[in-house]
Each structure stands twice: as structure tokens, then as C-alpha cells.
Amino acid sequence: MGTTTSKANKITAHDRAILDLKVQRDKLKQYNKRLDLVIAKEQEMAKTYLAKGDKKRALLALRRKKFQEGLLEKTQLQMTNLDELTFSIEQALVEKQVFEGLAAGNQVLKELHKEMSLSDVERLMDETAESIEYQNEIDEMLSTRLSVAEEEDIERELDEMVATETKAMLPAVPGASREEREAASWQTQEEQGQPDRIAVKKKATKTTRALNEPMLA
């Protein structure tokens, strides 16, 4: 692990060049500060000599001040050049890293495209569409409503189940007629909360009786 970390933190020639430029800039910055102090001092000395009436020394102080100002202007220009050069190098390094990243990404895309051809994608899309269509057909079949005849068969089967359960719950009454047993069955079903179905059965029974009775002359 130590070897890997050492390689990762290794200073390249580009890093060293940028570092050297920044060191030079810092030196010029410190030099400029000293020049500023010298210029300010010469300015004060010129004022002092002039106040004493010594114009010759005042003029000499101003000349030294002018010379220091020339040096300051040159160093400031050098600092500007160093800043621009440092920025250009750093920008070029960033662009190089971006280029390397794009190249690596392009290579990965090429490898992925080799693993996933266009024909494979088309086949997968076709299979997916067929699976969706098949599922839709199943859903449609399951959601289709039953016919009227099938609904009637279901209702009839339910009636038979109810009648069987009700008959099993009734106590045996010796000598009871079929009408009496049916009446008891209907009463029990009404108590169990099925009045609508019982009303229909009562109406059907009355109709059957009326049809079976002989008509009076």
C-alpha cells in the first residue's frame, strides 16, 4: 500500500514547474514590498531636505525614488507574466486530464458496444414487446365478464348450497309436510339475513301452485 500511495503522490515535472513559478512570484512580491518602503522613504527624505532648503539633496532623493518606481513597475510586469504563465500551464494540465478522461470513456463505450450489438438490442426489444402483448391478452381474458347463462348457473349453485346448509340446520319434525318444511326453511333463511332471495322463492312457489290448481268452470 505504501508503494501505491507513493506513486499517487509523486510530484511530476509539470507540478514542479508550476511550483517554481509560484516561488518566483512570491519572491517578486516580497521585493515589491521592499521597493514600496524605499519609495516611501525617499519621498519623505525629499520633503525633509526641501523643508531645510537643501534642494540639491531633495532632488537626489526624488531621483532615487524615480529609479525605485521604475524597478517596481518592471517587477509588477514580471509578476503579471508569471501569473499568466502559471495559469496557462494549469489550464493546459486540466485540458489534458479532460482529454484523457474522454479517451478512457470512449474506449469503455467501444468495449460495451462490442458486448451489446444492435441485433441483440433489437431482439431484446422484440421479445419484450411479445411478452407485454402476451400479458395484456392474459389480463383481458381474466377481466372478461361472465355471460348471462354463467351468472345464472352461479346463482343456482349458490341457492342449492344455501338450501343444503339450511336443511342441515333444521330439526327433524315427524309428520311435517313438504310445504311446512319449506316454510320453516324460508323462515330460517330470513333470520339469517337473506330476505330478497327468499321473497323471490316465495313468489315462484305461489306461481307454481296457481298453475297446478284446476280452474273453476
Side-chain angles (χ1 to χ4, degrees), residues 73-162:
E73 185 178 352
K74 290 180 180 179
T75 56
Q76 288 178 342
L77 180 59
Q78 291 174 354
M79 287 181 59
T80 301
N81 293 334
L82 287 174
D83 289 338
E84 292 178 355
L85 182 58
T86 302
F87 175 79
S88 298
I89 294 175
E90 291 177 339
Q91 184 67 21
L93 289 175
V94 171
E95 292 174 354
K96 180 175 179 294
Q97 293 175 355
V98 172
F99 175 78
E100 292 175 351
L102 291 174
N106 188 35
Q107 184 63 31
V108 172
L109 283 176
K110 288 181 179 180
E111 294 177 356
L112 291 175
H113 290 162
K114 291 179 181 179
E115 299 176 0
M116 184 180 60
S117 63
L118 182 60
S119 59
D120 293 336
V121 175
E122 292 178 350
R123 187 182 71 255
L124 179 60
M125 295 300 294
D126 293 339
E127 293 177 354
T128 303
E130 291 177 0
S131 299
I132 294 175
E133 184 178 359
Y134 180 72
Q135 183 63 40
N136 291 336
E137 292 178 357
I138 293 177
D139 294 340
E140 185 178 357
M141 291 177 62
L142 293 176
S143 61
T144 302
R145 298 184 61 181
L146 298 176
S147 63
V148 177
E150 290 173 334
E151 292 285 356
E152 292 178 353
D153 290 340
I154 293 174
E155 291 289 339
R156 190 181 303 107
E157 182 178 359
L158 178 61
D159 293 340
E160 293 175 356
M161 293 175 61
V162 172

Side-chain angles (χ1 to χ4, degrees), residues 158-159 161-163 165-166 185-202:
L158 178 61
D159 293 340
M161 293 175 61
V162 172
E165 294 179 0
T166 304
S185 174
W186 290 336
Q187 182 178 0
T188 302
Q189 294 180 18
E190 289 177 349
E191 293 174 354
Q192 292 177 352
Q194 301 179 6
D196 295 338
R197 192 180 300 279
I198 302 307
V200 173
K201 286 184 175 293
K202 285 183 178 180

Side-chain angles (χ1 to χ4, degrees), residues 11-21:
I11 298 177
T12 64
H14 302 111
D15 297 332
R16 189 174 298 279
I18 293 175
L19 182 60
D20 291 340
L21 290 173

